[in-house]
Amino acid sequence: MKFEGRIWKFGSDVDTDAIIPARYLNQSDPKELAKHAMEDERPEFVKEVKPGDLLLADKNFGCGSSREHAPLALKAAGISCIIAKSFARIFFRNSFNLGLPLLESPEASEVIQDGDHVRVDLTIGEIEDLTLGKKFHATPIPPFMQELLQDGGLIPHLRKKMNPQR
Amino acid sequence: MKMSKPMTITEKILAVHAAKKAVSPGELIEVRIDLALANDITAPLAIQAFKEIGVEKVFNRNRVVLVPDHFTPAKDIPSAEQCKILREFAKTQRLTHYFEVGQCGIEHALLPEKGLVLPGEVVVGADSHTCTYGALGAFSTGVGSTDLGAAMATGRLWLKVPESLKFIYYGKLNPWVSGKDLILATIGDIGVDGARYQAMEFCGEVIKNLPMSGRFTMANMAIEAGGKNGMIEPDEITFQFIKQRSKRPYKTYDSDPDAHYADVKEYDVSKLHPQVALPHIPSKVKDVREVGKVKIDQVVIGSCTNGYLDDLRVAAKILRGKKIAPSLRLIIIPATQDIYRQALKEGLIEIFLSAGASVSTPTCGPCLGGHMGVLAEGEKALATTNRNFRGRMGHPNSEVYLSGPAVAAASAIKGRICHPEEVMKRRV
C-alpha cells in the first residue's frame, strides 16, 4: 500500500475535540463530519486538503474521547495516512478498525515540515520526504493490523471471518 | 484459580477472560466480554457496524447496555434521530438494559448504581470514560464504535495486555481534598500521556479509606493520562456498595506482591491542597492557591467524574445559606435519577435553588459543549468535569478550568476561582 501527498503538520497532544468538535456529533455522516475536521485548530485545513494528503503530528495524537468520528472525519476529508511520534490508544485502534493507517516515527515527526510532499510505503514502513530528499523508517505495523488494513477495516475483516462463503 | 506467575489484578482478570493461565504485557489476546456499552453519540455508528457484520442478534441481550445520556433529553432534531436509532435497536434486539430519559443517568454513574458491573468483570464501552469501573476492581476500557459493534456481535474483542503502573497514596487528606484532587495532581505529575497504553492501579492507605464516589472519580480520569484502564482492588467499601445493588455472583482479584510494574509512584497527600487544571489541558495542574484571581462566568457541578451524591453533599455544605455571585451561572447536574431523588430528599436541591443555581435532569450536556450550558466566545468556566481541551465546552475561544466540587461551589460564591476556606469558616 502506497500513498503520496502533501503534509499537514500539527503539534503534540492533539485531542479528539480538536479533530472533530462535539457540536458536530449529533450526526454520524462521514461527509458532514469531514467538513469540520480540525476546524478550530486550523480553519484552512478542510478547504485545502486534497485526497491522499497526509497528516503529521508530534506525540499522543488523538487523545481524549473515544469518538470514532475523529478518524472517520479525517479519512472522509481525504487523509490517507497519519504519521506521529505516538498515538493515543483508542484513536489508534479506531483508525485501524476504519482502515486508516497510522505510522509511528519520532524522527519523521521532527524533520518533515508542513507542506512537504511525502510518499509512504506501508508494507515496508518507509516514509520519503520528496521535498527534503530524506527517508525515514517507521515502527513496523503488526501483522494483525496489516491484515485489518488489507481487508479495509475491522468490519470487512470480521465479515470475511464469520461468513467465509461471501 | 492457581495463577502460574506473579501478575497484577489487571493481568489476572484479562488472563481469566482469555482462558489462559497467564498473560504478559504487550501480548495480543482475545477476551470474552461481560458487558458492552454505548451512548447516543457512539451507538449509532456501532449499530451500523453491527449490522454490516451481518449477524442477526447481539451476543447476549442482557449484556449489551445502551444509555442515551450525551445530547439528551434530545437537544435538537439530529440528536433526537440518533436517540431513535438506539431506542429501535434496543426494541428489536429486546435489550434488557436500555435506559430511557427519566430512568436514565450518566452512563458511568448509572451502570455501577444498577449493579451492572461487578469486580473481576471485563467491560468495553464506546466512551473513553468507561475506565471508571476500574474503581470496582473490574477491567474496563473505552473503545470506538466499530470495536463496540464487533463486541455486540461476537461478545469478544482483541486487546493488548497493558503494562501496569502503581500509584501509592499515603498520609492524611487535608480538608476539602477529594479523589478529584488526587487524580488531578497525578495527571499533573505524569502528563496526559504519562500512562499511555497502561493500566493505572491506585492503592495505599488513602485509597483504602476513599469512598466509592472518590474511587470512581479517580478511575474515571485514567484516560486523561492516556491510560487504558484505572484499577482499584475491591475491599469492604466495594463490597458494601455492591451488596445493595446486585445479587449476581462475582470473583475478586488482587495484585500479587511480586507482580511486575513498569513504574511505581508514591504521593504524600498530607502536602496536597485542592487542585485546579488550567486551560487547555488536564495536566496543567496547580494548587488552587496558586491559580491567581481568575474571574469565571460559569460553574458546572456534575458529570461522570463528579456528579455523585457525595459531590452534591460537599457542594451543598458550601452553598448552604449563601448566594452565588450575581455575575455567574451555576449549573448543577446530578449524575443519575437516583442521585437526583436522594439529593431532593436530603434537601440539597433546595439549597442549590436558594443559592441561585440551575439544576438539571441528568445529562452529559455541558461537559462536552453539547447543551445545558454551552460557553460563548471569551467566557471562562470552572467545572468538575474531566476535560478542558480548547472548545470543549463551547466556543473555541472559551476556557475551561477543572476542579473538585468543593472548589467549584466556593468559586461560584466568590465569582472567581478560590479555595473553599475563603467562604467557609475554619472549624475544628
Side-chain angles (χ1 to χ4, degrees):
Chain A
M1 287 168 116
K2 289 178 187 170
F3 309 104
E4 195 175 323
R6 80 154 270 190
I7 284 288
W8 294 86
K9 191 167 181 170
F10 291 86
S12 58
D13 304 316
V14 173
D15 59 88
T16 51
D17 280 279
I19 299 170
I20 183 75
R23 58 184 179 272
Y24 302 117
L25 302 185
N26 55 2
Q27 47 80 39
S28 354
D29 178 10
K31 286 200 188 84
E32 276 304 309
L33 293 168
K35 286 182 194 165
H36 305 289
M38 296 289 187
E39 80 173 19
D40 295 345
E41 194 85 359
R42 208 168 159 182
E44 80 277 17
F45 173 77
V46 275
K47 291 176 203 137
E48 294 171 20
V49 66
K50 296 208 167 48
D53 282 0
L54 295 94
L55 216 133
L56 182 80
D58 205 283
K59 70 170 180 73
N60 201 27
F61 185 82
C63 63
S65 108
S66 69
R67 63 188 71 155
E68 202 161 294
H69 310 67
L72 194 60
L74 292 175
K75 196 182 175 203
I79 292 295
S80 61
C81 175
I82 307 175
I83 305 160
K85 222 173 240 182
S86 62
F87 292 93
R89 71 159 267 285
I90 307 179
F91 184 88
F92 188 84
R93 280 187 81 106
N94 286 349
S95 299
F96 280 91
N97 282 345
L98 289 176
L100 174 64
L102 310 182
L103 287 175
E104 286 185 334
S105 168
E107 203 195 348
S109 159
E110 292 278 341
V111 179
I112 298 175
Q113 293 303 310
D114 190 59
D116 282 4
H117 200 77
V118 162
R119 189 188 292 153
V120 164
D121 187 339
L122 266 195
T123 20
I124 55 168
E126 189 181 83
I127 304 162
E128 187 177 4
D129 187 325
L130 301 164
T131 312
L132 297 175
K134 281 187 181 159
K135 281 186 185 176
F136 308 92
H137 286 278
T139 315
I141 298 174
F144 171 65
M145 313 291 266
Q146 293 250 24
E147 208 182 311
L148 279 187
L149 292 176
Q150 292 290 348
D151 289 346
L154 181 66
I155 298 305
H157 173 76
L158 276 180
R159 211 161 40 205
K160 204 168 91 178
K161 229 171 96 177
M162 297 176 83
N163 313 292
Q165 76 280 9
R166 280 196 203 173
Chain B
M1 187 197 304
K2 179 88 178 71
M3 299 288 181
S4 58
K5 65 169 192 131
M7 283 191 285
T8 66
I9 173 170
T10 295
E11 290 157 7
K12 285 183 186 178
I13 297 172
L14 290 178
V16 167
H17 284 75
K20 283 170 173 267
K21 282 210 171 81
V23 295
S24 302
E27 194 178 336
L28 285 177
I29 52 168
E30 199 183 71
V31 294
R32 173 173 58 75
I33 302 297
D34 292 307
L35 203 71
L37 160 78
N39 58 52
D40 52 312
I41 289 182
T42 58
L45 281 175
I47 291 167
Q48 190 185 320
F50 171 84
K51 287 180 177 163
E52 282 172 16
I53 296 169
V55 293
E56 290 285 312
K57 295 252 180 256
V58 297
F59 79 102
N60 181 337
R61 68 186 189 95
N62 302 316
R63 303 252 135 217
V64 175
V65 185
L66 296 182
V67 185
D69 59 355
H70 276 60
F71 293 160
T72 55
K75 73 179 178 104
D76 53 20
I77 297 167
S79 305
E81 296 293 344
Q82 303 243 86
C83 292
K84 199 166 144 190
I85 296 173
L86 272 69
R87 197 174 295 124
E88 284 172 359
F89 186 76
K91 204 174 158 192
T92 328
Q93 294 287 334
R94 297 172 52 238
L95 300 186
T96 322
H97 304 297
Y98 165 74
F99 295 94
E100 191 54 90
V101 169
Q103 295 113 51
C104 195
I106 298 174
E107 49 193 342
H108 308 309
L110 186 72
L111 267 55
E113 185 185 281
K114 298 289 179 196
L116 292 177
V117 183
L118 298 179
E121 296 188 330
V122 169
V123 181
V124 295
D127 188 279
S128 61
H129 292 109
T130 302
C131 52
T132 309
Y133 318 126
L136 291 164
F139 175 88
S140 62
T141 192
V143 295
S145 293
T146 300
D147 270 330
L148 207 274
M152 288 197 299
T154 62
R156 309 185 72 80
L157 204 63
W158 69 270
L159 292 172
K160 189 161 96 176
V161 179
E163 288 186 307
S164 288
L165 296 173
K166 191 189 238 180
F167 298 87
I168 307 169
Y169 304 84
Y170 65 91
K172 191 174 175 292
L173 283 180
N174 283 309
W176 307 114
V177 173
S178 65
K180 183 62 162 284
D181 305 297
L182 297 178
I183 190 66
L184 282 178
T186 307
I187 296 165
D189 179 38
I190 67 171
V192 289
D193 63 346
R196 206 170 56 90
Y197 280 78
Q198 291 168 313
M200 294 176 82
E201 195 175 318
F202 306 111
C203 54
E205 56 180 354
V206 178
I207 305 301
K208 283 276 163 222
N209 291 308
L210 205 62
M212 276 317 299
S213 57
R215 296 181 184 191
F216 284 128
T217 306
M218 291 189 74
N220 174 272
M221 287 189 75
I223 180 68
E224 262 50 77
K228 182 168 196 149
N229 63 309
M231 184 59 83
I232 296 173
E233 282 182 4
D235 59 14
E236 203 43 50
I237 291 177
T238 326
F239 305 146
Q240 281 304 321
F241 178 89
I242 291 164
K243 210 161 103 184
Q244 307 153 28
R245 294 170 170 86
S246 174
K247 294 209 164 20
R248 283 192 296 129
Y250 61 90
K251 187 161 166 35
T252 60
Y253 299 88
D254 52 12
S255 293
D256 291 320
D258 48 352
H260 174 76
Y261 291 89
D263 201 0
V264 180
K265 293 258 182 191
E266 294 192 32
Y267 300 100
D268 177 2
V269 305
S270 317
K271 297 168 194 154
L272 188 74
H273 292 274
Q275 304 282 298
V276 175
L278 278 58
H280 293 284
I281 194 154
S283 56
K284 202 171 166 188
V285 174
K286 281 189 178 176
D287 184 318
V288 65
R289 299 166 306 178
E290 289 160 11
V291 172
K293 292 209 179 333
V294 180
K295 200 178 159 295
I296 39 177
D297 304 288
Q298 178 169 300
V299 170
V300 176
I301 299 175
S303 82
C304 57
T305 315
N306 280 119
Y308 300 94
L309 192 59
D310 287 342
D311 300 316
L312 301 185
R313 284 175 180 154
V314 167
K317 198 169 168 185
I318 292 172
L319 289 163
R320 182 189 297 273
K322 298 194 179 74
K323 295 276 179 208
I324 61 166
S327 57
L328 173 145
R329 311 174 297 267
L330 170 60
I331 298 163
I332 301 182
I333 311 181
T336 67
Q337 291 291 108
D338 278 1
I339 294 170
Y340 198 168
R341 190 177 292 116
Q342 188 59 30
L344 203 58
K345 273 189 199 156
E346 292 182 15
L348 311 183
I349 303 296
E350 178 60 39
I351 293 170
F352 298 151
L353 294 175
S354 300
S358 157
V359 181
S360 155
T361 194
T363 178
C364 305
C367 172
L368 74 162
H371 64 142
M372 275 306 298
V374 176
L375 299 176
E377 182 166 14
E379 287 192 323
K380 287 182 169 57
L382 174 64
T384 66
T385 55
N386 41 52
R387 289 196 176 125
N388 59 348
F389 301 131
R390 189 179 298 278
R392 171 77 178 174
M393 206 172 259
H395 195 282
N397 296 325
S398 59
E399 292 185 343
V400 181
Y401 292 74
L402 306 174
S403 77
V407 170
S411 304
I413 295 166
K414 281 280 174 191
R416 60 172 170 80
I417 296 176
C418 72
H419 193 294
E421 279 173 0
E422 283 196 45
V423 297
M424 296 295 283
K425 284 190 195 109
R426 270 177 191 275
R427 269 177 311 188
V428 182

